[in-house]
Amino acid sequence: GNSVTQMEGPVTLSEEAFLTINCTYTATGYPSLFWYVQYPGEGLQLLLKATKADDKGSNKGFEATYRKETTSFHLEKGSVQVSDSAVYFCALRGGNYQLIWGAGTKLIIKP
Amino acid sequence: NAGVTQTPKFRVLKTGQSMTLLCAQDMNHEYMYWYRQDPGMGLRLIHYSVGEGTTAKGEVPDGYNVSRLKKQNFLLGLESAAPSQTSVYFCASSYVQGAETQYFGPGTRLLVL
C-alpha cells in the first residue's frame, strides 16, 4: 500500500542554517506529493506541491523536488528563520484521491 | 471569511461519555474530512463527506459517527468515548475530492480519562 516516511524529529537548527527534512514514499504509479506545515496552535496549511517526476515545488523560500528514481521529496531551505519553527508533514495523494500522511517532523529554530 | 472552524478547542471526557465535535466551513466546499493526529503518526482519516447528506468511512472509522446535514457543517460523534480516542482531531475541507489543497481547522484536543 501507499506510505510516507519522514525523518524523525525534532530537528533543531540555529537561525540562518540550511534545512533538509527527508521524505520518502512508497506508492503505485506516480502520486502527487505535498508538504504541509502546522504552526503552533494552528491547523495544517499547504506549503508546496509537485505533481510529476522532476517537478520542483517552492514557496516561502522552501523547495522540494519530486525524485522518482529515489522515491523522495525532501524539503529544503537555504536559510531558516525563527518563524519557520513548526511541524512539517509530507503527504501523497493516492489513487483513491485520499491523502496519505507522514508522521510529521518538528522543526525548532533557535535565534 | 473564517475558513474552517472547530468547536470545542479542548475537551475532557470520562470513559463512556458521548460528545459531538462540530466543524464549519464558509468556503462552499463540497468535500469535508475528519482526521485524528496522534504522536509519532501521521494524520489518519476517520470519515469524509463528498457532499451534503453523504458520508463515507476512512482509514479508522470505528467508534465514530458523522453527519453532514448541511453543506457547511460536518459533525463527528463519539457515542461512548474510550481512552484510545484521546487525540487531536482536525477537520478539513476542499473543493473537490482529494484536492491538492485541503483547508484545515485549528484542531480539537480531546482527552478521555
Side-chain angles (χ1 to χ4, degrees), chain A residues 32 34 36 38 41-46 49 51 87 89 93 96-104, chain B residues 35 37 40-45 48 57-59 90 97-107:
Chain A
S32 294
F34 310 91
Y36 274 75
Q38 182 184 22
E42 300 182 10
L44 285 72
Q45 54 186 280
L46 180 65
K49 65 184 182 186
T51 58
V87 181
F89 291 89
R93 185 172 61 193
N96 61 358
Y97 298 105
Q98 291 184 7
L99 291 179
I100 308 300
W101 299 86
Chain B
Y35 292 95
Q37 180 186 27
M41 303 182 72
L43 276 69
R44 292 183 291 170
L45 184 65
Y48 64 100
K57 294 181 180 180
E59 180 186 357
F90 285 101
Q97 186 177 14
E100 294 169 352
T101 302
Q102 290 188 10
Y103 296 83
F104 282 79

Side-chain angles (χ1 to χ4, degrees), chain A:
Chain A
N2 297 336
S3 67
V4 176
T5 303
Q6 288 182 237
M7 62 189 296
E8 289 190 21
V11 173
T12 303
L13 295 172
S14 297
E15 207 166 19
E16 299 184 2
F18 184 86
L19 167 71
T20 299
I21 299 178
N22 291 339
C23 171
T24 57
Y25 67 90
T26 301
T28 54
Y30 303 101
S32 294
L33 301 172
F34 310 91
W35 277 101
Y36 274 75
V37 58
Q38 182 184 22
Y39 297 106
E42 300 182 10
L44 285 72
Q45 54 186 280
L46 180 65
L47 179 60
L48 53 83
K49 65 184 182 186
T51 58
K52 60 183 187 295
D54 300 325
D55 263 4
K56 178 184 285 188
S58 62
N59 186 25
K60 298 182 180 180
F62 291 89
E63 293 183 342
T65 301
Y66 190 143
R67 302 285 188 198
K68 180 167 66 74
E69 63 276 11
T70 55
T71 62
S72 65
F73 193 54
H74 304 323
L75 183 68
E76 296 181 335
K77 186 175 185 182
S79 176
V80 293
Q81 306 300 314
V82 172
S83 57
D84 294 325
S85 297
V87 181
Y88 293 81
F89 291 89
C90 186
L92 67 82
R93 185 172 61 193
N96 61 358
Y97 298 105
Q98 291 184 7
L99 291 179
I100 308 300
W101 299 86
T105 302
K106 185 173 184 177
L107 175 65
I108 301 170
I109 307 299
K110 295 186 175 182

Side-chain angles (χ1 to χ4, degrees), chain B residues 33-109:
Chain B
Y33 315 84
W34 276 108
Y35 292 95
R36 59 179 289 172
Q37 180 186 27
D38 300 298
M41 303 182 72
L43 276 69
R44 292 183 291 170
L45 184 65
I46 304 171
H47 285 280
Y48 64 100
S49 169
V50 302
E52 183 178 316
T54 72
T55 63
K57 294 181 180 180
E59 180 186 357
V60 289
D62 294 342
Y64 305 94
N65 57 75
V66 288
S67 64
R68 183 101 181 266
L69 298 180
K70 293 183 179 181
K71 186 177 184 178
Q72 64 267 34
N73 296 336
F74 194 30
L75 278 62
L76 178 71
L78 286 73
E79 291 186 348
S80 179
S84 60
Q85 294 177 305
T86 292
S87 188
V88 180
Y89 292 86
F90 285 101
C91 177
S93 69
S94 65
Y95 285 110
V96 296
Q97 186 177 14
E100 294 169 352
T101 302
Q102 290 188 10
Y103 296 83
F104 282 79
T108 294
R109 187 173 297 274

